[in-house]
Amino acid sequence: MAESISPDIHCEVTGGGEGIPLVLVHGFPLDSRMWLPQKEFLQGRRPVLLPDLPGFGRSPDPARSASIDGYASALKGELDRRDIGNVVLAGFSMGGYTALAFAEHYPERLAALVLANTRAAADSEEGRAARTQAMERVREADPVALAEETPAKLLCKRSLHERPELVRWVDHIVRTQRTSGVVGGLEAMRDRPDRTALLPHIKCPVLVVGGEMDPIVPAEEVREMAAAVPGGRLKFIAGSGHLSNLEQPEAFNSVVEEFLREADL
Ligand code: MLT
């Protein structure tokens, strides 16, 4: 059981209709606003929960140090508060790290899992050192320190050049995060455990989604992760960098919809 780090989080409930709720968990340094195209697409189709992880968006800071396990525990607490049993849990990148932690601690609550642009492995030593440096930069200059570089990291070249409104939207979400939440997120990602050994033990249907041109989670790693899950499905989103759900929303929505239909959910 993961320790609770946050008594309460902000979580919008939308969508409506029948069916098992879909929980969409955002990446870093973002919040639930990154799911806007999915929120619109899912209106009237199924209940959707859009949580902000502790310290991000409209959620308060965690009561103790941020951790990926603590984020998973905050999600579980939110489901308990709302008396929601099973869910389809979809996590993007840092949200995927959180979804895997949830799968480890609360497997009985999962009807299915969508792991988008994410990995099971922990950070390398070099990656951990870079997180610590980024924490220092953000403490000095708040999330603006990351805003300058984030769109170029998350979006492919084509999106960067041809979709100024998307670049502005991503930039805006980053700039409106709080220093404490962003520093906490970096610490949580830096210290997260390797969950590769969990993959063969996941019992629910799993969809792994990769971005064709994702420099943060390369295609080979995405393939390996999908292959390690029994019956894991794999889809790549063409014409996308890391932020596949925002860069190619129609393709992203349709692979998730097809997966849920095939899994009879
Ligand atoms: C994210 O999109 O959540 C981050 O890029 C993940 C990471 O930095 O490991």
Side-chain angles (χ1 to χ4, degrees):
M1 166 91 59
E3 233 187 325
S4 177
I5 56 163
S6 196
D8 228 337
I9 54 172
H10 179 271
C11 181
E12 181 181 351
V13 181
T14 178
E18 299 291 314
I20 295 185
L22 172 61
V23 185
L24 296 170
V25 190
H26 64 83
F28 173 91
L30 306 169
D31 62 35
S32 58
R33 288 174 290 174
M34 70 163 279
W35 297 110
L36 186 61
Q38 284 66 46
K39 177 178 158 179
E40 287 171 357
F41 175 75
L42 289 159
Q43 280 312 315
R45 289 178 194 248
R46 67 166 63 234
V48 179
L49 275 78
L50 294 164
D52 286 337
L53 292 173
F56 291 89
R58 283 171 282 177
S59 283
D61 289 344
R64 63 190 90 206
S65 293
S67 69
I68 296 295
D69 287 50
Y71 292 166
S73 151
L75 286 183
K76 196 255 186 189
E78 183 63 20
L79 300 184
D80 289 348
R81 267 193 294 283
R82 293 179 182 274
D83 217 7
I84 294 173
N86 284 9
V87 294
V88 176
L89 186 59
F92 165 81
S93 203
M94 180 178 76
Y97 309 154
T98 303
L100 282 172
F102 191 102
E104 181 173 315
H105 297 296
Y106 320 109
E108 70 288 353
R109 303 294 284 271
L110 281 181
L113 201 52
V114 178
L115 299 170
N117 305 84
T118 193
R119 56 166 56 90
D123 278 3
S124 62
E125 272 315 305
E126 201 186 350
R128 287 170 54 84
R131 300 272 197 215
T132 305
Q133 276 177 10
M135 285 164 73
E136 279 158 23
R137 275 195 294 139
V138 175
R139 276 197 195 102
E140 275 164 23
D142 69 50
V144 174
L146 294 187
E148 262 123 52
E149 62 197 50
T150 299
K153 273 192 180 160
L154 301 190
L155 302 170
C156 72
K157 285 204 169 64
R158 189 162 178 191
S159 300
L160 280 171
H161 292 133
E162 295 178 8
R163 299 194 49 200
E165 79 300 340
L166 176 58
V167 176
R168 275 198 298 275
W169 179 234
V170 173
D171 181 80
H172 174 70
I173 300 177
V174 178
R175 280 177 198 272
T176 47
Q177 300 309 314
R178 299 188 305 279
T179 300
S180 51
V182 171
V183 169
L186 287 162
E187 185 181 12
M189 291 192 289
R190 181 193 65 188
D191 298 340
R192 75 187 190 279
D194 187 335
R195 289 206 152 88
T196 309
L198 171 73
L199 299 175
H201 301 288
I202 299 180
K203 300 271 188 299
C204 66
V206 177
L207 169 68
V208 175
V209 180
E212 193 186 43
M213 295 170 281
D214 185 345
I216 297 181
V217 191
E220 200 40 47
E221 211 175 333
V222 176
R223 272 193 206 97
E224 278 170 21
M225 184 163 74
V229 178
R233 284 104 159 147
L234 171 64
K235 292 282 177 186
F236 279 101
I237 306 292
S240 171
H242 188 54
L243 255 177
S244 58
N245 74 301
L246 277 171
E247 296 192 82
Q248 299 294 342
E250 288 87 10
F252 186 93
N253 294 343
S254 90
V255 298
V256 173
E257 197 186 26
E258 182 188 77
F259 165 66
L260 294 177
R261 200 175 42 243
E262 282 173 14
D264 214 9
L265 289 166

